[in-house]
C-alpha cells in the first residue's frame, strides 16, 4: 500500500529514481503474494526507467551510487520470469529472462568501460565534449529544480516552466550527443550497444552444430539457458 501511494508522488515531482524504486518494491511485494504477472509488469517499467536515465546521461552521483544497486533489479526480474516460465511452459518467459540477463551484462560491460576510464571518446572534438559535460550538468540542475518546485506548493505556470526547462536541456544534450556519435562510430558502438535477444542469437550467432550456454548465478537460485538454432531450453540450478 505504501509503495502504491508513493509511486504517483514520485511521478508527479519527476523523480525517476524514486519511481523505479517504488516499482521495484511493488514487484517484490506482489511476488511474495504470488501475483507474478503484475510483478513482472512493474519490473518492466522499472528497468525501462533505469535504462532511460542512463541513456539520457544521468549525473555522476547517480552513476556511481544508484546504478551500482540496479543489479538487484535485473537479478530479481530474471528470477521472476523464470518462475513464470515454470508456471507457463512454452509461453516465452525463458527467452524473456535470457534477454533481461543480456541487458544486465550489457550494462555491466559499459560500467566497466566507464570505471576503467577507457578513452572511448578518442578523436572527438574537445569543444563537443565540453558542451556535452556542460549540458549534462544543466539537465541535472533543471531536473533538481523541477523536483524541488513540484515537491512543494506550486502554480500551473511554475510547473510548466520547470518542465519546459528540463525538456529544452534534454533536447540540447541529445543534439550534442548525436553529433558525437556521428563523428565517432567507435563511441556510438560502445555507448549505444544493444543486447541481443534469444531469437537474434539463433539467427545471427549459431549454426546447426553449435549451442550457446549462458548462466545467471544468484545466491537463491541460478539458471542456465541452452540455446540452439531450433530451441531455447532453460534449467534451474542450485544457488
Amino acid at each position: 500500500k505504501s509503495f502504491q501511494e508513493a509511486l504517483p508522488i514520485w511521478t508527479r515531482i519527476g523523480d525517476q529514481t524514486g519511481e523505479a524504486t517504488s516499482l521495484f518494491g511493488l514487484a517484490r511485494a506482489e511476488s511474495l503474494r504470488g501475483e507474478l504477472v503484475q510483478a513482472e509488469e512493474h519490473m518492466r517499467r522499472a528497468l525501462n526507467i533505469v535504462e532511460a536515465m542512463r541513456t539520457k546521461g544521468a549525473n555522476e552521483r547517480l552513476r556511481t551510487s544508484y546504478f551500482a544497486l540496479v543489479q538487484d533489479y535485473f537479478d530479481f526480474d530474471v528470477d521472476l520470469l523464470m518462475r513464470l516460465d515454470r508456471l507457463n511452459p512454452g509461453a516465452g518467459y525463458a527467452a524473456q529472462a535470457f534477454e533481461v540477463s543480456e541487458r544486465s551484462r550489457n550494462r555491466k560491460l559499459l560500467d566497466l568501460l566507464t570505471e576503467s576510464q577507457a578513452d572511448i571518446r578518442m578523436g572527438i572534438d574537445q569543444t563537443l565534449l565540453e558542451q556535452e559535460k556542460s549540458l549534462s550538468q544543466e539537465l541535472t540542475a533543471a531536473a533538481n529544480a523541477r523536483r524541488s518546485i513540484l515537491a512543494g506548493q506550486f502554480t500551473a505556470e511554475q510547473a510548466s516552466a520547470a518542465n519546459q526547462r528540463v525538456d529544452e536541456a534534454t533536447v540540447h544534450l541529445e543534439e550534442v550527443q548525436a553529433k558525437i556519435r556521428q563523428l565517432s562510430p567507435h563511441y556510438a558502438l560502445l555507448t549505444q550497444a544493444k543486447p541481443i535477444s534469444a531469437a537474434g542469437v539463433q539467427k545471427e550467432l549459431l549454426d546447426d552444430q553449435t549451442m550457446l550456454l549462458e548462466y545467471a548465478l544468484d545466491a537463491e537460485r541460478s539458471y542456465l539457458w541452452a540455446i540452439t538454432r531450433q530451441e531455447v531450453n532453460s534449467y534451474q540450478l542450485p544457488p
Side-chain angles (χ1 to χ4, degrees):
K1 182 179 177 181
S2 295
F3 284 124
Q4 288 172 333
E5 292 174 352
L7 185 57
I9 298 173
W10 291 125
T11 304
R12 176 172 57 81
I13 67 177
D15 190 318
Q16 291 185 307
T17 303
E19 191 175 354
T21 302
S22 289
L23 287 166
F24 181 43
L26 273 172
R28 290 177 63 87
E30 289 162 343
S31 171
L32 290 171
R33 297 171 62 182
E35 299 170 353
L36 303 188
V37 174
Q38 295 92 319
E40 170 53 23
E41 290 174 357
H42 284 123
M43 282 310 302
R44 189 181 309 117
R45 288 176 58 191
L47 290 178
N48 287 341
I49 289 171
V50 167
E51 294 300 291
M53 290 167 64
R54 176 177 297 279
T55 302
K56 291 179 180 177
N59 64 53
E60 292 302 318
R61 181 184 64 80
L62 284 177
R63 273 189 212 285
T64 56
S65 58
Y66 180 67
F67 286 132
L69 303 176
V70 171
Q71 183 60 41
D72 290 344
Y73 289 33
F74 287 96
D75 293 343
F76 178 78
D77 198 33
V78 166
D79 186 65
L80 184 60
L81 285 163
M82 293 304 294
R83 289 168 62 192
L84 281 166
D85 182 69
R86 292 198 299 275
L87 295 173
N88 305 274
Y93 286 114
Q96 290 182 48
F98 172 82
E99 290 166 24
V100 172
S101 175
E102 279 295 303
R103 287 174 69 182
S104 173
R105 292 169 187 269
N106 183 69
R107 184 188 63 81
K108 284 189 284 189
L109 174 59
L110 296 180
D111 284 347
L112 285 171
L113 288 170
T114 301
E115 291 171 8
S116 68
Q117 299 181 338
D119 194 0
I120 60 177
R121 292 175 170 84
M122 186 180 300
I124 300 175
D125 185 350
Q126 188 63 33
T127 302
L128 275 179
L129 295 179
E130 292 173 357
Q131 287 179 358
E132 180 191 31
K133 181 178 180 180
S134 174
L135 289 170
S136 180
Q137 292 171 344
E138 286 183 23
L139 176 57
T140 298
N144 288 339
R146 179 179 67 178
R147 191 154 48 243
S148 297
I149 290 171
L150 298 182
Q153 299 295 323
F154 61 90
T155 64
E157 291 78 10
Q158 289 174 321
S160 177
N163 287 328
Q164 183 176 352
R165 284 192 292 271
V166 171
D167 291 342
E168 290 175 351
T170 299
V171 169
H172 293 156
L173 177 60
E174 289 176 348
E175 287 174 349
V176 170
Q177 290 176 333
K179 290 180 182 177
I180 293 174
R181 289 194 295 270
Q182 184 178 8
L183 293 172
S184 176
H186 180 61
Y187 172 79
L189 176 65
L190 291 174
T191 59
Q192 303 298 316
K194 302 298 182 185
I196 196 167
S197 66
V201 169
Q202 290 176 308
K203 181 179 179 180
E204 301 173 27
L205 301 183
L206 299 180
D207 57 39
D208 291 332
Q209 303 301 317
T210 307
M211 174 187 289
L212 171 71
L213 301 178
E214 179 162 314
Y215 297 85
L217 306 180
D218 194 59
E220 188 170 351
R221 284 179 292 271
S222 298
Y223 297 102
L224 164 68
W225 295 274
I227 303 177
T228 68
R229 294 193 73 174
Q230 290 75 36
E231 295 181 310
V232 177
N233 294 309
S234 60
Y235 307 91
Q236 182 174 323
L237 304 178

